[in-house]
Amino acid sequence: MMNKSILEVSGLTMDFGGIRALDRLDLDVGPKEIVALIGPNGAGKTTFFNCLTGIYLPSAGDIRLVSPQTGKQSRLNGLKPNKITKKGVARTFQNIRLFSQMTVLENVMIGRHCRTSSLILGAILRTRRTRKEEQETIDKSYDILEKVGLSEQANEFASNLSYGAQRRLEIARALATEPFLLLLDEPAAGMNPQETADLVTLILQIRDEGHAILLIEHDMKLVMSLSDRIFVMDYGKKIAQGAPAEIRVNRAVIKAYLGEDEGPDNA
Amino acid sequence: MITVKEVKRSLLVSLWFVFLTFPLMVIKVNPYERTVSWRWRNMVYVAIGTFVITLLAKAWFARKEKRMARQQDSCHLRLPIIQRILQKPGYRNSLAVFLLGAALAFPHLFSTYQANIMTTALMYIVLGLGLNIVVGVAGLLDLGYVAFYAVGAYSYALLNLHFDLGFWTVLPIGGLLAALFGVLLGFPVLRLRGDYLAIVTLGFGEIIRLILENWNAFSKGPSGISNIPRPGFFGLEMSLDQAMIYMYYLMIGLLLVTIFVVNRLQDSRLGRAWLALREDEIACQAMGIDKTRTKLIAFSLGAFWAGLIGVIFAAKTTFVNPASFTFMESAIILSIVVLGGMGSIVGVILGALILVLLPEYLRALSEYRMLAFGAILVAMMIFKPEGLIANVRRSYCYHGKKSNTALKNDE
Amino acid sequence: MDYFIELFCSGLTRGSIYALIALGYTMVYGIIGLINFAHGEIYMIGAFTSFIVATVLSIYGFPLAAIVVVAGVAAAIWSSAYGYTVEKIAYKPLRHAPRLAPLISAIGMSILLQNYVLLAQTSDFLPFPELIPEFSFVEPIAHIIGSSDIVILLTTTVVMLALTFLIKFTRIGKAMRATAQDRTMALLVGINVDRVISATFIIGSALAAIGGLLIASHIGQINFAIGFIAGIKAFTAAVLGGIGSIPGAVLGSLILGLTESFATGYISSDYEDVFAFSLLVLILIFKPSGLLGKAETKKV
């Protein structure tokens, strides 16, 4: 393993009524690492993301975050989603949740919200500080759009983008929050091979810029080629973890994917 | 084109409405004299009216479909004429100057009575702009907006009665008190889902009115408080006419300030957060926006404006009683926002002018005023949910270069 | 003690009428997730229709029994027709619109219907004919419970039982339950969802009409505005019980009726409506899922 991890999850458990969606899950992500979380549909992967980002309150277990810049440790359980984002964890959504009636650039500018601070008075009086902040927001957002290749469509409505472009915009919006850990929920779903190839390049570029990435993905080729490590889940439990080469030959993983009925699709 | 089939269907619809409205439209009983009058003529009106409306609605939808199909071929979006004018800075500015000039000259061109009506219209514009922040921009359906208006009006009435405070002192106090009420109410209820929020605010509005009606010791009950002084102007004595014209200019001033402030707010970090919140709360939170706080700011800002206008209302009529603050008042303001176009400042101004002035000048119509407001809310949602004048998203410059000058129509 | 029982009985009567209206809210909410603001108006139209029909019949000298039956049936038919039409005009075109749209449309419908009745009829309070005779066997306990209370309680009980039967055992009832659970799934297994939604509005409206008839003859007067307050109170009851839950609506209504009755009886009648509104605000803040409702889990 690389040096000290930035995310440590231990014993994470999530119950919905009588159903245990996550069962004592342990997971860790190191700095600048690409970690994949795979498993059959309904294994609890998205639930795991929802616990990490504060949308669900986990029933038990610990989620700890260590900021690579400051080394400060914090516990994420019970924090509101916006607080968690502010601490440096950002995510995309499996079923795209863009602000479709806003422009592409505005979507990214929303991501800058938690790194900026002007409020009512600033907005009304348009002080120098506010104007500077606003221009910075625009410029930084634009830079990010250039990075993901959407600067041409900056003033289009988000809903007018193609499917693949919308997924990239979700990544851009998440990047705008300046995360050190980026959670991607099926970033390649619905993409054609060319778009997927571009996505791989983009993810590697993001990693090289210093972000750690935890991703859920069904495209095994992408997972195997990108990931440093892979965690495999089934029925809310972790059934394997290791480097891609190890996972490829893991008996339990093969059994989970091929041997048994798939659970209901609620991922 | 109207086909035979459509005519037939419209006939059926009109027959259905004849049946539907039969007991209420045709029969009228007098329970005291025990007589029944059969108003068969109404039946004919209903039949013809519904037939025509159904045909028109069908034609509208057919046209809309055609336009949608055409738009898919060429992704070029043709904006309505008003927006094309508003987009050109030259036109926009000359239009604004002309309107301002007309507004300033108005009391001198027309009678004081007309100016007085215009003052009312201006008050509704500001109320509409205030509610627009809450409903139009932030997407929070507030049905108890009139409560904050009442808070403003009663703060002036009571503070003046007990402490002899003047208009200019109470104006900010009234606004702040209303905003405080907004925070107090908003804090617990803003985490509720949209429809629950609507009903809680409705309930809150009614609670405030009922308390004002029943708590005689505090508010003098249904008879209200009278002899509230009009706003002063450096201690100058004014005749009634002068006072009315002064009121008019005061409202013009407040309106300009409101437009300025609302415009800047919408086009700011906060304004974007409100818009995003209206679209997707979960995504918003995941982007680091504090949902409750951002909503609370919108809610209390809206309340602040209602409070200001409340103070002005009390000063204008020199009399307040709870009957001025019924749910119907909230409904009127909501209609203004919905008719004009949610989130659009020009739209709200137009909506308020239509809805306040039309029944005022067409006396024959004023009876049907509330009926029309109801119909407007339904019809706008079905036919033109974006309102008369849709909100326009701005495009941003990057390093000073205009990257794309075409503005997009917010559908 | 007598006073207590009297308040208890009048609370039950109130509650059972709220229940008739609240069921319409809760059923519609269960199926399309919309607060049907116009539902109070449907109830008002039911009361008005029965008022017109009953008065006309009594002027033409029909016997009381015939008047009661015809007025009741007419109220149910016309209220259902209004409910059905309101859904077709104001809600159906907006089924896939953003959540605010049908809500605003519903408020518009409510205002529209109220003013339609105001203009078509009158703004005055009208005396409702006495449809429920004073039964002689009630006389000894008349200071505690009146004949109309008894009739109201009996009628609502019968109606509730019929509704339970309808929902549990009939084809349309099963289709309604299926649609309430998962509309897409219901569509996939071949349920005509549009028809189920229409049926829900029709049944809910008919119940409200019966409520309208009962309360109008109980109180003895009506006007165009009675739907607004009654609607909000019934909605409060539905939320208190857990919106979407049918037993919840009945339970919530009874609790609200009793609360109001005791609060006005022991505290002050000036604030009758404030109690209901405050209760509504408090439930929504502290337990929005209500007593018997399921808490909603957000899907991400």
Side-chain angles (χ1 to χ4, degrees):
Chain A
M1 215 191 288
M2 304 167 73
N3 46 5
K4 215 166 164 271
S5 48
I6 55 166
L7 174 76
E8 273 176 59
V9 177
S10 56
L12 191 70
T13 302
M14 180 77 215
D15 294 320
F16 290 111
I19 300 155
R20 180 151 288 193
L22 295 177
D23 194 358
R24 284 161 292 163
L25 210 70
D26 300 327
L27 183 147
D28 62 284
V29 180
K32 296 197 188 186
E33 199 182 13
I34 299 182
V35 175
L37 183 60
I38 63 171
N41 284 329
K45 303 181 299 283
T46 296
T47 307
F48 178 71
F49 267 25
N50 287 342
C51 286
L52 275 191
T53 51
I55 291 171
Y56 295 155
L57 178 67
S59 316
D62 254 348
I63 306 167
R64 283 178 189 288
L65 199 66
V66 186
S67 162
Q69 285 105 30
T70 61
K72 229 178 82 186
Q73 217 192 65
S74 48
R75 189 165 179 266
L76 298 188
N77 305 44
L79 285 186
K80 282 210 228 151
N82 52 300
K83 288 267 159 35
I84 292 175
T85 308
K86 192 144 193 201
K87 284 195 182 297
V89 180
R91 70 174 289 180
T92 66
F93 293 91
Q94 181 189 11
N95 45 343
I96 299 171
R97 301 189 83 122
L98 288 170
F99 307 114
S100 53
Q101 298 297 299
M102 298 172 82
T103 65
V104 169
L105 186 66
E106 281 177 316
N107 265 276
V108 184
M109 286 167 82
I110 289 289
R112 297 291 310 157
H113 190 95
C114 61
R115 302 294 168 212
T116 45
S117 60
S118 87
L119 269 180
I120 309 174
L121 277 183
I124 297 172
L125 303 175
R126 260 196 211 155
T127 55
R128 230 185 44 223
R129 233 196 77 222
T130 313
R131 283 201 309 262
K132 202 174 134 229
E133 189 185 271
E134 191 75 2
Q135 195 56 45
E136 259 175 35
T137 301
I138 297 171
D139 293 349
K140 281 194 178 160
S141 305
Y142 206 91
D143 288 343
I144 296 173
L145 280 181
E146 266 180 348
K147 190 189 303 174
V148 302
L150 288 172
S151 52
E152 292 284 301
Q153 289 105 311
N155 286 320
E156 296 273 345
F157 275 122
S159 51
N160 291 350
L161 293 184
S162 72
Y163 199 68
Q166 291 197 3
R167 290 225 175 268
R168 271 182 292 149
L169 179 54
E170 277 233 335
I171 297 178
R173 190 177 65 172
L175 281 177
T177 67
E178 296 178 7
F180 57 82
L181 173 62
L182 184 61
L183 310 178
L184 304 177
D185 198 344
E186 299 200 18
M191 282 188 170
N192 63 34
Q194 181 53 47
E195 285 174 325
T196 310
D198 292 347
L199 178 72
V200 169
T201 322
L202 176 65
I203 293 178
L204 288 173
Q205 188 195 343
I206 293 170
R207 193 265 311 268
D208 294 340
E209 278 164 13
H211 306 271
I213 291 160
L214 174 60
L215 63 96
I216 295 174
E217 189 47 69
H218 282 298
D219 183 337
M220 281 307 137
K221 225 176 93 203
L222 181 141
V223 168
M224 293 297 168
S225 65
L226 264 182
S227 325
D228 298 315
R229 283 185 302 141
I230 298 174
F231 287 81
V232 190
M233 284 177 68
D234 196 16
Y235 293 113
K237 287 195 175 85
K238 182 170 78 185
I239 57 171
Q241 76 178 81
E246 297 161 30
I247 296 301
R248 219 188 294 262
V249 294
N250 187 304
R251 297 290 288 272
V253 177
I254 295 168
K255 195 176 156 213
Y257 269 91
L258 303 173
E260 285 170 25
D261 293 349
E262 285 195 359
D265 186 352
N266 67 357
Chain B
M1 269 294 97
I2 298 165
T3 61
V4 180
K5 203 177 135 209
E6 273 170 354
V7 173
K8 260 192 202 157
R9 279 201 60 94
S10 305
L11 266 176
L12 277 179
V13 172
S14 101
L15 268 181
W16 170 253
F17 271 90
V18 165
F19 162 76
L20 195 65
T21 54
F22 175 73
L24 286 164
M25 290 293 282
V26 177
I27 311 174
K28 182 155 184 176
V29 293
N30 186 329
Y32 304 103
E33 287 162 20
R34 297 185 68 75
T35 53
V36 188
S37 53
W38 301 84
R39 303 171 295 178
W40 296 107
R41 200 180 290 162
N42 282 349
M43 192 185 238
V44 181
Y45 294 153
V46 167
I48 296 171
T50 46
F51 179 72
V52 172
I53 290 174
T54 316
L55 269 186
L56 286 178
K58 279 184 194 301
W60 169 279
F61 279 121
R63 217 186 68 153
K64 199 173 175 185
E65 226 161 77
K66 238 191 229 160
R67 220 181 327 155
M68 295 277 258
R70 219 178 325 131
Q71 254 171 37
Q72 267 169 358
D73 300 340
S74 64
C75 56
H76 199 70
L77 230 152
R78 234 175 105 81
L79 294 173
I81 180 96
I82 306 175
Q83 268 163 16
R84 268 178 286 157
I85 291 174
L86 288 175
Q87 258 173 44
K88 296 231 168 72
Y91 287 143
R92 190 177 52 204
N93 292 344
S94 37
L95 190 71
V97 168
F98 168 74
L99 283 179
L100 188 64
L104 290 178
F106 189 84
H108 304 289
L109 298 176
F110 299 94
S111 67
T112 318
Y113 170 75
Q114 303 291 343
N116 197 30
I117 291 174
M118 215 29 133
T119 312
T120 311
L122 292 172
M123 285 168 57
Y124 276 100
I125 295 178
V126 177
L127 283 172
L129 288 173
L131 186 65
N132 189 33
I133 300 177
V134 187
V135 181
V137 182
L140 306 166
L141 188 51
D142 180 357
L143 296 180
Y145 195 59
V146 73
F148 304 120
Y149 183 44
V151 168
Y154 269 88
S155 355
Y156 182 37
L158 289 171
L159 287 174
N160 184 271
L161 187 71
H162 297 302
F163 304 102
D164 210 24
L165 292 183
F167 173 83
W168 290 105
T169 324
V170 182
L171 190 63
I173 298 179
L176 289 174
L177 269 178
L180 181 71
F181 264 80
V183 172
L184 288 181
L185 172 73
F187 197 70
V189 306
L190 281 175
R191 70 194 81 197
L192 293 174
R193 265 193 351 235
D195 37 9
Y196 279 5
L197 178 73
I199 210 124
V200 170
T201 48
L202 175 71
F204 173 74
E206 286 298 297
I207 290 177
I208 294 267
R209 187 179 60 82
L210 288 167
I211 288 176
L212 290 175
E213 223 159 65
N214 290 301
W215 192 2
N216 286 317
F218 172 72
S219 64
K220 299 200 167 181
S223 52
I225 302 168
S226 46
N227 289 327
I228 303 168
R230 292 202 165 79
F233 186 68
F234 301 112
L236 228 63
E237 280 289 316
M238 276 186 283
S239 69
L240 187 62
D241 263 20
Q242 284 170 324
M244 276 176 166
I245 291 173
Y246 175 49
M247 203 76 212
Y248 173 84
Y249 283 118
L250 203 144
M251 268 319 298
I252 292 274
L254 183 67
L255 175 63
L256 290 178
V257 172
T258 309
I259 293 176
F260 175 79
V261 169
V262 171
N263 195 24
R264 287 213 155 169
L265 278 173
Q266 282 197 6
D267 183 18
S268 73
R269 168 179 178 265
L270 205 53
R272 282 193 300 274
W274 287 334
L275 275 182
L277 211 53
R278 182 175 77 179
E279 288 201 36
D280 191 329
E281 289 191 3
I282 289 179
C284 254
Q285 284 184 293
M287 289 305 117
I289 292 173
D290 188 332
K291 183 174 93 175
T292 318
R293 200 168 91 126
T294 310
K295 282 182 179 179
L296 206 57
I297 293 173
F299 201 68
S300 49
L301 268 176
F304 178 77
W305 259 277
L308 287 187
I309 297 296
V311 175
I312 292 178
F313 171 78
K316 176 173 179 278
T317 55
T318 69
F319 168 72
V320 290
N321 76 343
S324 312
F325 308 105
T326 58
F327 167 67
M328 284 306 148
E329 207 65 30
S330 295
I332 293 171
I333 306 168
L334 180 68
S335 309
I336 288 173
V337 176
V338 169
L339 175 69
M342 292 204 260
S344 150
I345 294 176
V346 183
V348 170
I349 295 174
L350 195 67
L353 289 178
I354 293 174
L355 289 187
V356 178
L357 296 185
L358 220 56
E360 201 63 57
Y361 287 114
L362 298 171
R363 279 280 160 202
L365 287 184
S366 65
E367 212 183 317
Y368 299 96
R369 201 176 126 137
M370 286 316 296
L371 188 79
F373 286 158
I376 282 170
L377 287 179
V378 180
M380 290 309 283
M381 285 300 116
I382 296 170
F383 296 112
K384 220 167 163 0
E386 74 275 15
L388 287 180
I389 298 190
N391 184 24
V392 170
R393 305 296 323 134
R394 69 166 283 197
S395 55
Y396 293 86
C397 312
Y398 175 59
H399 292 314
K401 280 175 296 188
K402 263 245 176 320
S403 43
N404 186 352
T405 41
L407 285 164
K408 298 300 184 284
N409 180 10
D410 193 341
E411 285 168 295
Chain C
M1 193 60 204
D2 269 6
Y3 188 54
F4 178 85
I5 297 173
E6 188 192 328
L7 289 178
F8 185 79
C9 290
S10 91
L12 275 187
T13 311
R14 257 174 208 261
S16 52
I17 289 182
Y18 291 154
L20 285 174
I21 312 170
L23 282 168
Y25 277 111
T26 224
M27 283 164 64
V28 166
Y29 192 91
I31 296 222
I32 55 171
L34 167 78
I35 298 176
N36 179 12
F37 267 95
H39 191 60
E41 273 29 271
I42 298 292
Y43 145 85
M44 179 269 293
I45 284 175
F48 243 98
T49 310
S50 58
F51 158 76
I52 290 169
V53 173
T55 314
V56 169
L57 292 182
S58 81
I59 289 172
Y60 291 140
F62 282 80
L64 189 64
I67 294 177
V68 171
V69 172
V70 176
V73 170
I77 287 177
W78 262 284
S79 276
S80 307
Y82 273 95
Y84 171 84
T85 314
V86 165
E87 195 270 328
K88 283 279 180 276
I89 293 179
Y91 306 148
K92 192 162 175 248
L94 300 174
R95 223 167 267 168
H96 303 288
R99 201 160 181 163
L100 261 181
L103 211 56
I104 291 176
S105 177
I107 294 159
M109 248 319 160
S110 161
I111 298 169
L112 179 76
L113 287 177
Q114 228 181 82
N115 288 280
Y116 153 68
V117 174
L118 165 69
L119 292 170
Q121 296 286 320
T122 169
S123 61
D124 302 335
F125 270 96
L126 295 165
F128 200 86
E130 240 175 74
L131 296 182
I132 304 166
E134 292 295 327
F135 301 118
S136 52
F137 68 87
V138 183
E139 235 158 75
I141 50 168
H143 59 291
I144 299 174
I145 185 165
S147 312
S148 63
D149 294 280
I150 292 174
V151 172
I152 287 172
L153 287 175
L154 277 178
T155 319
T156 40
T157 314
V158 171
V159 170
M160 301 287 167
L161 288 177
L163 181 71
T164 315
F165 177 81
L166 182 106
I167 287 174
K168 279 249 157 78
F169 301 112
T170 63
R171 219 179 125 78
I172 187 76
K174 282 177 193 162
M176 281 164 83
R177 280 185 292 150
T179 313
Q181 267 190 14
D182 190 334
R183 201 198 306 172
T184 323
M185 202 58 206
L187 204 73
L188 287 177
V189 298
I191 291 173
N192 185 340
V193 171
D194 279 342
R195 195 181 297 164
V196 170
I197 293 174
S198 290
T200 311
F201 272 85
I202 288 173
I203 296 169
S205 305
L207 294 178
I210 297 170
L213 170 71
L214 289 176
I215 200 160
S217 57
H218 182 61
I219 294 175
Q221 59 173 10
I222 57 168
N223 88 336
F224 74 99
I226 55 171
F228 180 69
I229 291 281
I232 292 193
K233 287 189 180 172
F235 177 77
T236 306
V239 173
L240 175 61
I243 194 143
S245 150
I246 288 179
V250 179
L251 179 69
S253 302
L254 292 180
I255 294 177
L256 179 66
L258 290 172
T259 312
E260 272 192 356
S261 180
F262 285 123
T264 50
Y266 285 120
I267 304 173
S268 156
S269 63
D270 284 349
Y271 290 98
E272 186 190 327
D273 295 337
V274 176
F275 294 126
F277 288 128
S278 312
L279 190 64
L280 172 67
V281 174
L282 290 178
I283 310 159
L284 283 180
I285 293 170
F286 293 108
K287 199 168 179 354
S289 58
L291 296 173
L292 303 182
K294 282 175 292 203
E296 235 175 285
T297 42
K298 15 180 190 185
K299 271 190 191 146
V300 177

